Amino acid sequence: MTLHVSSQRDGGAELTIRLTAAEVDAIGLTEAEGLADRLDTALWGLAMLRTGRAVRNTPESRPVDADDLHDVIRDLHKHLIPMLGGIRDAAIRRHRDLGGSTAQLAAAMDSARSTAQDRREALDRTGPRRAEAAHWEAWAAAPRQH
């Protein structure tokens, strides 16, 4: 994967994410597009929060209202954050399975060893909150069905 940035004449920027053929094969183009779309929503929300202005899908810039943030909240809460958490949890589990130490995990997380240990132990907990996280972890770790 590579990221390319090009400035636009109107002062904006175009961000292009290039996936290798192997990455597309592993992820699937539809899922990659879905993740990119949700990341786009996160950037859009960040721009609205920082400016206090609705800057997209409106004929002219105007103050942000609660309705403007509906899609941002939904996409982040329901999709992007759980998906990213699943990828993180699957990576932590795989790190552990491959013999990675708690000290290495703490360094990767830029946290205390106790925090890294807690994160590892959370992977083996049960209960309703962990069930949803486990769903996204399984999604992240599952080989793509062609």
Side-chain angles (χ1 to χ4, degrees):
M1 194 231 40
T2 54
L3 175 65
H4 300 280
V5 180
S6 60
S7 298
Q8 301 297 301
R9 290 182 188 179
D10 65 358
E14 183 173 304
L15 305 176
T16 304
I17 300 171
R18 184 187 185 290
L19 301 175
T20 66
E23 289 167 332
V24 171
D25 188 52
I27 298 168
L29 192 55
T30 301
E31 276 193 295
E33 287 173 339
L35 276 166
D37 184 54
R38 289 187 170 93
L39 181 56
D40 173 76
T41 301
L43 294 170
W44 170 46
L46 183 59
M48 285 193 292
L49 292 168
R50 289 189 174 176
T51 64
R53 310 287 300 169
V55 295
R56 188 188 287 179
N57 300 331
T58 182
E60 57 187 61
S61 179
R62 60 174 172 67
V64 171
D65 63 30
D67 288 339
D68 293 319
L69 296 171
H70 177 269
D71 289 340
V72 174
I73 294 166
R74 184 195 64 231
D75 268 9
L76 296 181
H77 177 73
K78 201 73 176 132
H79 301 288
L80 187 60
I81 291 171
M83 293 167 108
L84 294 176
I87 295 167
R88 179 208 53 216
D89 290 351
I92 291 171
R93 186 179 300 278
R94 183 79 47 90
H95 180 266
R96 180 182 68 187
D97 293 348
L98 293 172
S101 70
T102 304
Q104 290 170 323
L105 179 59
M109 292 174 58
D110 194 23
S111 68
R113 286 180 70 165
S114 60
T115 301
Q117 184 64 37
D118 287 345
R119 174 55 56 195
R120 271 187 169 184
E121 290 172 359
L123 298 177
D124 298 324
R125 291 189 187 123
T126 59
R129 294 180 97 190
R130 180 61 194 141
E132 183 176 355
H135 163 78
W136 288 107
E137 180 187 343
W139 162 82
R144 177 175 167 234
Q145 302 296 315
H146 295 275

